[in-house]
Amino acid sequence: DAIAEAGMKYVGLMTANTKSHLVISVGDTLEEALRAGEEVKKRGLIIPSDYGGEINLQKRESAVADLRHLIDLCAAAGAKTVLMGGIGKPEHYDIYFGAIADCCDYAAEKKLGLTIKPHGGLNATGPQLRKAIEKVNHKNFTVWYDAGNIIYYSDGKLNPVDDAAAVDGLVTGWCIKDYRPPKDVYVTPGAGRVDFRAVFAKL
């Protein structure tokens, strides 16, 4: 309600006061996703991106099944992209990005893009994100950049102005938030350390 009242046109779905702590997650049904989408539409908003949380990484098949279900949920809600948070364990790398590769065409059929953001672990920096994009090697998998997270996950050591060049040409969306030390990203853009003009100039 507050987002609509503020005059915004878009709402990215992420965390919420639910059992999974997300608006939409792999544990949800199509009916629940449809209901979430209806709540958004009632307020005249559009969903550019939905973060659905983790998928089962026991094996590639289970990861693909979860990701396909998440794609179905996001399509039902009316989202435009599925935002992936990435991983932290090297042993999951091939399973995770293999599943994404297996699902790129399926997502495209549903008119959804698949994206990944810098979120710590093995996808905390621009070079790591580029490596992931090159591994999947599909035009429907791109970067959803987050300059605040670049500083946050490097404990203030990495400036996104320096990092952004590594993802030039790969970025199709942004989580726009700033950063203030020691570990605060709940910051209005312009009130923290991110030089947004300089970062955009690198892309």
Side-chain angles (χ1 to χ4, degrees):
D1 287 336
I3 290 169
E5 287 165 12
M8 304 300 174
K9 295 179 181 178
Y10 303 96
V11 56
L13 302 185
M14 291 190 78
T15 55
N17 187 22
T18 63
K19 187 170 67 175
S20 67
H21 302 294
L22 297 167
V23 177
I24 295 173
S25 69
V26 292
D28 291 334
T29 64
L30 284 175
E31 290 74 20
E32 288 169 320
L34 282 165
R35 194 159 58 246
E38 285 303 316
E39 291 295 329
V40 171
K41 286 177 198 162
K42 278 197 302 192
R43 290 158 176 82
L45 297 168
I46 296 168
I47 307 166
S49 179
D50 175 84
Y51 171 69
E54 297 179 1
I55 55 176
N56 186 335
L57 297 176
Q58 285 186 322
K59 53 187 179 179
R60 187 157 167 167
E61 292 79 7
S62 61
V64 167
D66 272 5
L67 184 50
R68 283 176 69 101
H69 180 57
L70 188 56
I71 289 165
D72 290 341
L73 294 173
C74 290
K80 305 299 182 188
T81 59
V82 182
L83 177 60
M84 306 297 291
I87 49 164
K89 295 182 178 178
E91 61 266 32
H92 291 153
Y93 199 86
D94 288 342
I95 293 172
Y96 188 82
F97 291 106
I100 290 173
D102 290 347
C103 291
C104 281
D105 285 332
Y106 184 73
E109 289 170 15
K110 299 279 185 174
K111 297 183 169 37
L112 279 166
L114 297 178
T115 65
I116 188 167
K117 66 179 292 187
H119 199 64
L122 299 176
N123 48 286
T125 68
Q128 289 176 318
L129 291 167
R130 179 168 283 277
K131 179 185 174 186
I133 296 297
E134 289 173 351
K135 181 172 181 62
V136 171
N137 191 28
H138 195 289
K139 64 182 180 181
N140 200 34
F141 183 53
T142 57
V143 171
W144 201 269
Y145 202 59
D146 186 329
N149 270 10
I150 295 295
I151 310 178
Y152 179 90
Y153 284 106
S154 68
D155 294 321
K157 297 184 183 79
L158 182 56
N159 189 329
V161 175
D162 301 320
D163 179 77
V167 291
D168 183 26
L170 305 179
V171 178
T172 56
W174 271 63
C175 288
I176 301 287
K177 61 180 188 287
D178 216 321
Y179 167 88
R180 260 196 308 251
K183 296 291 274 187
D184 184 13
V185 288
Y186 295 105
V187 182
T188 302
R193 285 195 175 176
V194 177
D195 184 344
F196 285 95
R197 289 182 185 276
V199 178
F200 276 118
K202 289 291 183 78
L203 302 173

